[in-house]
């Protein structure tokens, strides 16, 4: 019976793939035609051909990315209907459905139906593919009474969830589209408006739920989000590498992945810094510090300034300078944008003095303009203007502020001498992640420099003219060439093409989802923002992110108990009542799909030490393997780690092992374990054994985890217990803890290392 059912499913799956091939070849053909036109010198504008290339390239990429696991399920309804569920929707030539997109309302029952509430479903079938071959099927019986005698004989296997949970890890996150659970599906399909906070303990699937929610929202609100896109913010570049294939595998590319460190144009902020410095810089009071620092560059001298310009001795008195500054700021509060107004007022004051010396009756309006222009071009006048009101860039402002104790003391009188010392840095020092929000704050308060404004207006005019020409061409080519059947695309693709032309400067075509032109454009506003490990962001980080999403359409994913940053979130209400009052809601994930109960027992002790009121998520499975906690002396810790690595690798086969160590000892362990993949770039995940510190491990999961020196992890920061909790809960199968054990790990019986 099993063979017959698999053969029947194979027949239908084969038809689906045949249709996929037809659509993919159609997109490939149109892409090739456009690319040929690019090299044969047609009169078609380059930007127009580029837009066509992007359209067909994106379509081809989407159809190719869903190749693996195209169809993963089938629903048999009590009403007699039956449909297959997969990554995208497919229809035959008569527009009869071959495959239903998992995001459609009709597919919702695949995830929501239960035996207690079958929702009109009598059988849910999970289909496992190996390439294009049906490798297995599992049935969930949801309504036994509705199942006929013939159908009862075709029931096969068990549900697919536990099988997927036990699979070996690969160093990349897999989508869960085939095994989404009911509580996860409800969050994925939650409405777009407002801020949704997804709170959940480790292993509850917060990240993968957030990514599937991005795919769902893009499908459901394509017109709205297709123009502005979705931003996914992760804790570090290693994490982004870990998740970067999830959305493409679901057929979505209109998503930008970024870290907080990458959110300011032209800055790569990777320099380490002490926790105290990050905490001070992340405090919301730093917004006022930046504002005061900017004001400190606007000078009103105590004595008049005397200028010798040609034969004229001109005088700028403090009162006149102060009045000019106040008037400019009243009209335009941003420093750089107000500067031309200040300059105009000062030049008017100086020009009046020249005119008064000549005699007003001898000077016409054109003469006055010439005098003012000559004064503006005079080098001595320029020097005075720059001293009184210099034009500033965010990097210059922040670098000067934090390299000068005097300027910092003046701008931040609330900081103690010790706190100022903690954040002071050399003028040319590399940027750290906590500097990025300060740079963004400075950019917001400064405004663009004159050169940038001129360049932006010029580019905007050029792009507007090109976009209008492309738009006219688009309408013509769609009407004429479609009629002639030279271009064969779906009706929805026509509208997508027109949108694409209008928005052609926005390019979401990088396979990894990384698009610098959008991330680095501070003026870009996203339709939806997803923040993972959101508890780690400082108050200043949140100010920066909220500017990118003024509509406050966000999905915030995190766990307060795992907060490791000294500047991190302590309360969702405290954060969101300020930015989105009455426009935020919470959803909680309570089931731990990653961490087996044996390991979660250890983690629960650590969680209780963090806050006795917190409840750990409930694990759905046991492995029968108890964690190993061995108080190895410091003198032989490295040798014990080497031995444990060798043993654990033999146990997990082709799975992945993480060795998690205190950040302060990372270089020490890297030197002692040269055979282990190490470093703070994403390639560390390519190794079967990866050396990580706790911040780098956030959001990741491994078949086995080996923690070296847990007491060192706890002692490194005030949030040390939270860091240990994070480290323990990265494992899906096995946990080994070696070294000095903190008290929280010695409360109950544990398996010693043999």
């Amino acid at each position: 019976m099993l063979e017959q059912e698999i053969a029947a499913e194979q027949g239908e799956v084969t038809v689906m793939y045949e249709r996929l091939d037809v659509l993919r070849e159609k997109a490939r053909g149109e892409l090739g035609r456009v690319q040929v036109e690019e090299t044969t010198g047609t009169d078609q504008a380059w930007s127009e051909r580029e837009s066509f290339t992007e359209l067909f390239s994106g379509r081809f990429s989407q159809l190719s990315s869903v190749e693996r696991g195209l169809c993963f399920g089938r629903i048999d309804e009590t009403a007699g209907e039956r449909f297959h569920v997969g990554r995208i929707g497919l229809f035959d030539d008569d527009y009869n459905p071959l495959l239903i997109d998992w995001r459609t309302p009709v597919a919702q029952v695949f995830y929501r139906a239960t035996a207690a509430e079958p929702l009109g479903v009598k059988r849910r079938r999970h289909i496992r593919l190996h390439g294009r071959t049906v490798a297995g099927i599992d049935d969930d019986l949801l309504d036994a009474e509705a199942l006929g005698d013939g159908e009862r004989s075709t029931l096969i296997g068990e549900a697919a969830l536990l099988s997927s949970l036990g699979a070996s890890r690969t160093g990349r996150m897999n989508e869960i589209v085939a095994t989404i659970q009911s509580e996860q599906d409800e969050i994925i399909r939650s409405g777009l408006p407002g801020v949704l906070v997804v709170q959940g303990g480790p292993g509850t699937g917060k990240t993968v739920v957030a990514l599937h929610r991005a795919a769902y929202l893009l499908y459901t609100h394509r017109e709205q989000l297709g123009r502005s896109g979705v931003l996914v913010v992760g804790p570090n570049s290693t994490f982004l590498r870990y998740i970067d294939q999830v959305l493409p595998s679901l057929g979505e590319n209109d998503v930008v992945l970024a870290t907080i460190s990458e959110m300011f144009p032209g800055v790569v902020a990777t320099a380490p810094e002490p926790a105290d410095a990050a905490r001070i810089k992340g405090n919301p009071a730093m917004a006022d510090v930046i504002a005061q620092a900017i004001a400190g560059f606007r000078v009103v001298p105590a004595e008049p300034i005397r200028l010798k310009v040609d034969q004229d001795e001109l005088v700028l008195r403090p009162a006149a300078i102060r009045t000019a500054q106040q008037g400019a700021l009243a009209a335009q509060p941003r420093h750089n944008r107000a500067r031309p107004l200040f300059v105009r007022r000062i030049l008017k004051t100086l020009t009046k003095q020249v005119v008064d010396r000549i005699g007003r009756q001898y000077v016409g309006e054109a003469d006055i303009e010439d005098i003012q222009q000559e004064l503006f071009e005079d080098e001595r006048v320029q020097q005075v203007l720059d001293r009184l009101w210099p034009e500033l860039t965010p990097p210059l402002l922040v670098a000067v502020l934090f390299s000068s104790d005097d300027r910092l003391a003046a701008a931040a009188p609330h900081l103690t001498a010790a706190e100022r010392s903690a954040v002071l840095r050399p003028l040319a020092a590399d940027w750290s992640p906590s500097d990025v929000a300060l740079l963004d704050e400075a950019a917001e308060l400064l405004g663009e420099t004159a050169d940038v404004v001129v360049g932006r207006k010029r580019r905007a005019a050029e792009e507007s003219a090109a976009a209008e020409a492309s738009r006219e061409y688009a309408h013509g080519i769609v009407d004429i060439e479609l009629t002639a059947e030279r271009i064969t695309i779906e009706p929805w693709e026509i509208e997508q093409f027109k949108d694409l032309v209008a928005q052609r400067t926005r390019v979401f075509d990088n396979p990894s989802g990384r698009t610098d032109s959008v991330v680095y454009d501070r003026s870009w506003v996203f339709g939806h923002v997803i923040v993972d490990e959101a508890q780690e962001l400082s108050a200043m980080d949140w100010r920066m992110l909220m500017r990118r999403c003024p509509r406050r359409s966000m999905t915030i994913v995190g766990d307060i108990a795992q907060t490791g940053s000294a500047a991190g979130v302590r309360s969702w209400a405290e954060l969101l009542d300020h930015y989105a009052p009455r426009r935020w809601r919470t959803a909680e994930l309570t089931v731990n799909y990653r961490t087996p109960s044996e390991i979660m027992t250890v983690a629960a002790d650590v969680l209780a030490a963090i806050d006795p009121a917190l409840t750990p998520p409930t694990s759905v499975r046991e492995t029968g393997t108890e964690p190993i906690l061995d108080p190895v002396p410091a003198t032989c810790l490295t040798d014990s780690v080497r031995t444990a690595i060798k043993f654990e690798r033999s146990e997990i086969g082709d799975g992945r092992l993480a060795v998690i160590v205190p950040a302060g000892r990372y270089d020490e362990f890297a030197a002692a374990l040269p055979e282990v993949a190490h470093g703070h770039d994403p390639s560390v995940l390519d190794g079967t054994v990866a050396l990580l510190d706790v911040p780098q491990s956030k959001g990741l999961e491994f078949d086995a985890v080996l923690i070296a020196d847990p007491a060192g992890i706890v002692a490194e920061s005030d949030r040390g217990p939270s860091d240990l909790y994070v480290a323990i809960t990265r494992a899906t199968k096995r946990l080994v803890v070696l070294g000095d054990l903190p008290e929280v790990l010695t409360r109950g019986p544990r398996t010693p290392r043999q």
Side-chain angles (χ1 to χ4, degrees):
M1 183 58 64
L2 173 60
E3 290 77 8
Q4 294 175 359
E5 288 295 304
I6 288 179
E9 293 293 353
Q10 182 66 65
E12 299 198 50
V13 167
T14 298
V15 172
M16 297 174 199
Y17 274 110
E18 289 173 350
R19 182 60 178 170
L20 181 69
D21 289 339
V22 169
L23 296 175
R24 187 159 50 193
E25 287 306 309
K26 186 182 297 184
R28 189 205 302 270
E30 297 300 345
L31 176 60
R33 183 183 63 79
V34 174
Q35 290 174 334
V36 167
E37 288 183 356
E38 290 183 9
T39 61
T40 55
T42 69
D43 58 358
Q44 188 178 340
W46 179 85
S47 61
E48 295 159 354
R49 295 197 306 271
E50 181 187 37
S51 296
F52 272 119
T53 299
E54 185 179 344
L55 170 66
F56 293 121
S57 177
R59 180 65 169 151
F60 180 77
S61 176
Q62 179 196 46
L63 293 170
S64 298
S65 64
V66 298
E67 168 76 25
R68 185 180 64 84
L70 176 65
C71 172
F72 53 78
R74 192 185 89 189
I75 285 292
D76 296 359
E77 296 181 334
T78 54
E81 294 293 326
R82 191 185 76 178
F83 59 86
H84 285 83
V85 182
R87 296 172 185 274
I88 61 171
L90 291 174
F91 301 86
D92 63 19
D93 290 335
D94 297 323
Y95 215 70
N96 297 312
L98 301 173
L99 186 65
I100 302 297
D101 192 299
W102 69 275
R103 293 164 290 191
T104 60
V106 70
Q108 184 172 340
V109 295
F110 183 80
Y111 304 106
R112 297 287 183 88
T114 65
E117 192 174 359
L119 302 177
V121 176
K122 55 186 176 182
R123 169 168 49 186
R124 170 174 50 216
R125 171 164 288 181
H126 301 272
I127 300 171
R128 301 190 303 279
L129 299 182
H130 182 71
R132 296 188 170 196
T133 302
V134 177
I137 53 179
D138 296 294
D139 288 339
D140 296 333
L141 177 59
L142 303 177
D143 189 347
E145 294 182 0
L147 212 62
D149 292 338
E151 292 172 312
R152 292 177 190 276
S153 64
T154 64
L155 285 174
I156 306 294
E158 300 175 351
L161 174 63
L162 294 181
S163 174
S164 68
L165 295 178
S168 295
R169 270 43 190 173
T170 64
R172 294 291 184 94
M173 175 177 279
N174 294 319
E175 41 72 24
I176 60 165
V177 65
T179 57
I180 293 171
Q181 300 302 290
S182 180
E183 68 168 0
Q184 297 172 329
D185 185 70
E186 186 173 352
I187 293 171
I188 290 169
R189 297 176 192 268
S190 181
L192 176 64
V195 180
L196 173 63
V197 178
V198 183
Q199 166 74 34
T204 54
K206 300 184 297 297
T207 297
V208 75
V209 164
L211 294 174
H212 284 67
R213 175 165 165 76
Y216 171 77
L217 292 176
L218 282 164
Y219 176 87
T220 309
H221 305 278
R222 180 75 63 187
E223 182 176 354
Q224 179 178 343
L225 297 182
R227 293 186 177 94
S228 54
V230 173
L231 171 66
V232 177
V233 179
N236 54 59
S237 58
T238 303
F239 173 84
L240 295 186
R241 166 71 177 279
Y242 180 63
I243 68 170
D244 67 7
Q245 295 303 310
V246 173
L247 284 161
S249 74
L250 297 172
E252 293 298 344
N253 290 307
D254 282 3
V255 178
V256 176
L257 308 182
T259 67
I260 288 294
S261 301
E262 300 169 319
M263 296 292 289
F264 191 80
V267 167
V268 179
T270 57
E273 67 179 342
D276 284 347
R279 175 182 56 80
I280 295 167
K281 291 180 182 179
N283 191 294
M286 292 307 297
D288 291 332
V289 172
I290 296 296
Q292 290 301 314
I294 294 171
F297 279 90
R298 296 190 289 265
V299 177
V300 178
E303 301 294 331
I305 297 174
R306 300 184 183 279
L307 285 167
K308 185 73 173 178
V309 181
D310 293 334
Q311 285 75 41
D312 298 311
E313 183 175 79
L314 308 178
V315 180
L316 280 175
R317 302 189 182 281
I321 295 171
R322 183 177 295 105
T323 299
Q325 287 186 354
Q326 292 172 347
L329 289 171
Q332 169 55 260
R334 291 181 174 175
H335 175 91
N336 287 332
R337 294 193 177 184
R339 185 180 186 273
L341 305 179
F342 167 76
V343 169
R344 195 173 301 130
R345 289 169 182 263
I346 293 297
L347 291 175
K348 186 176 181 180
T349 298
L350 296 175
T351 301
K352 183 178 183 302
Q353 294 180 32
V354 175
V355 171
D356 288 344
R357 184 189 63 78
I358 297 173
R360 182 66 180 85
Q361 67 274 25
Y362 302 113
V363 181
E365 291 301 322
D367 298 322
I368 291 176
E369 291 181 7
D370 289 342
I371 292 170
Q372 186 166 302
Q373 183 63 30
E374 289 176 4
L375 287 170
F376 178 70
E377 293 174 353
D378 188 276
E379 184 177 347
R380 287 159 296 187
V381 174
Q382 285 285 352
Q383 289 174 351
V384 169
L385 292 173
D386 288 341
R387 180 160 63 92
L388 297 177
W389 191 310
E391 194 172 58
L392 298 170
T393 64
L396 176 63
L397 173 78
V398 176
V400 170
L401 172 62
F402 286 100
S403 65
S404 168
D405 188 63
D406 289 341
R407 283 193 180 275
L408 190 56
H414 64 285
L415 293 181
T416 66
E419 288 174 324
R420 293 198 306 274
S421 177
V423 297
L424 283 172
R425 39 163 274 169
L427 183 63
D430 293 334
W431 299 110
S432 65
S434 62
D435 290 325
V436 173
L438 304 184
L439 291 167
D440 194 76
E441 187 73 25
E444 191 70 13
L445 297 177
L446 288 172
E448 297 166 315
T449 62
D451 288 344
V452 171
V453 171
V454 171
R456 178 173 51 79
K457 288 182 178 179
R458 183 179 65 251
R459 288 192 301 274
E462 293 171 352
E463 291 170 359
S464 177
E468 182 59 32
S470 295
R471 192 176 295 109
E472 292 178 3
Y473 176 84
H475 284 281
I477 202 70
V478 167
D479 294 339
I480 296 171
E481 295 208 17
L482 278 180
T483 301
E485 296 185 349
R486 288 182 56 198
I487 297 179
T488 52
I489 56 179
E490 303 293 337
W492 65 269
E493 292 178 301
I494 300 173
E495 296 305 315
Q496 178 181 333
F497 172 74
K498 293 176 180 177
D499 287 342
L500 185 64
V501 171
Q503 298 288 336
R504 74 189 196 292
T505 57
R506 174 180 64 83
V507 182
F508 287 104
D509 62 353
N510 189 306
S512 69
R514 312 297 299 282
T515 308
D516 292 347
S517 61
V518 177
V519 175
Y520 290 164
D521 181 359
R522 288 193 67 256
S523 66
W524 190 269
V525 173
F526 287 91
H528 193 79
V529 173
I530 293 174
V531 186
D532 206 333
E533 299 293 343
Q535 74 279 354
E536 301 300 328
L537 272 59
S538 71
M540 292 301 295
D541 292 335
W542 283 110
R543 284 177 67 89
M544 175 173 61
L545 277 185
M546 291 298 174
R547 294 187 187 109
R548 294 297 189 99
C549 193
R551 297 184 63 182
R552 302 296 188 263
S553 178
M554 307 179 82
T555 302
I556 293 175
V557 179
D559 179 15
I560 297 296
Q562 296 186 63
T563 303
S565 170
V569 177
R570 297 295 185 267
S571 162
W572 300 123
E574 180 181 341
L575 169 69
L576 295 171
D577 282 345
H578 175 68
Y579 287 109
R582 298 180 299 280
R583 294 194 61 228
W584 67 280
R585 60 201 189 277
T586 60
E588 187 163 7
L589 293 169
T590 60
V591 179
N592 188 333
Y593 299 100
R594 175 203 302 148
T595 316
S597 58
E598 294 89 347
I599 296 176
M600 206 60 212
T601 299
V602 179
D605 288 344
V606 180
L607 184 64
I610 298 170
D611 185 346
L614 296 175
T615 302
T618 303
S619 297
V620 299
R621 64 196 176 98
E622 299 177 352
T623 62
T625 302
E626 292 293 333
I628 296 171
L629 287 84
D630 193 351
V632 174
T635 54
C636 53
L637 179 57
T638 302
D639 289 339
S640 295
V641 169
R642 288 198 192 95
T643 301
I645 289 174
K646 184 177 181 180
F647 180 79
E648 293 302 318
R649 288 191 64 178
S650 69
E651 289 294 307
I652 62 175
D654 59 355
R656 290 294 195 274
L657 167 65
V659 180
I660 302 179
V661 302
R665 300 188 64 183
Y666 188 91
D667 291 342
E668 173 191 343
F669 277 101
L673 304 170
E675 72 282 3
V676 173
H678 60 273
H680 285 80
D681 62 274
S683 64
V684 71
L685 294 182
D686 293 336
T688 55
V689 183
L691 181 69
L692 309 169
D693 57 27
V694 175
Q696 195 179 10
S697 74
K698 282 184 176 291
L700 309 182
E701 62 183 21
F702 302 87
D703 297 271
V705 167
L706 192 164
I707 301 174
D709 189 14
I713 291 175
V714 171
E716 276 193 318
S717 73
D718 293 338
R719 301 292 299 176
S722 294
D723 287 343
L724 181 59
Y725 182 61
V726 170
I728 289 173
T729 54
R730 298 307 93 198
T732 66
K733 297 176 182 176
R734 301 174 60 83
L735 173 68
V736 178
V737 183
L738 303 178
D740 186 14
L741 301 182
E743 181 183 355
V744 70
L745 295 183
T746 61
R747 294 180 179 178
R750 298 289 183 261
T751 302
R753 182 149 202 90
Q754 301 299 319

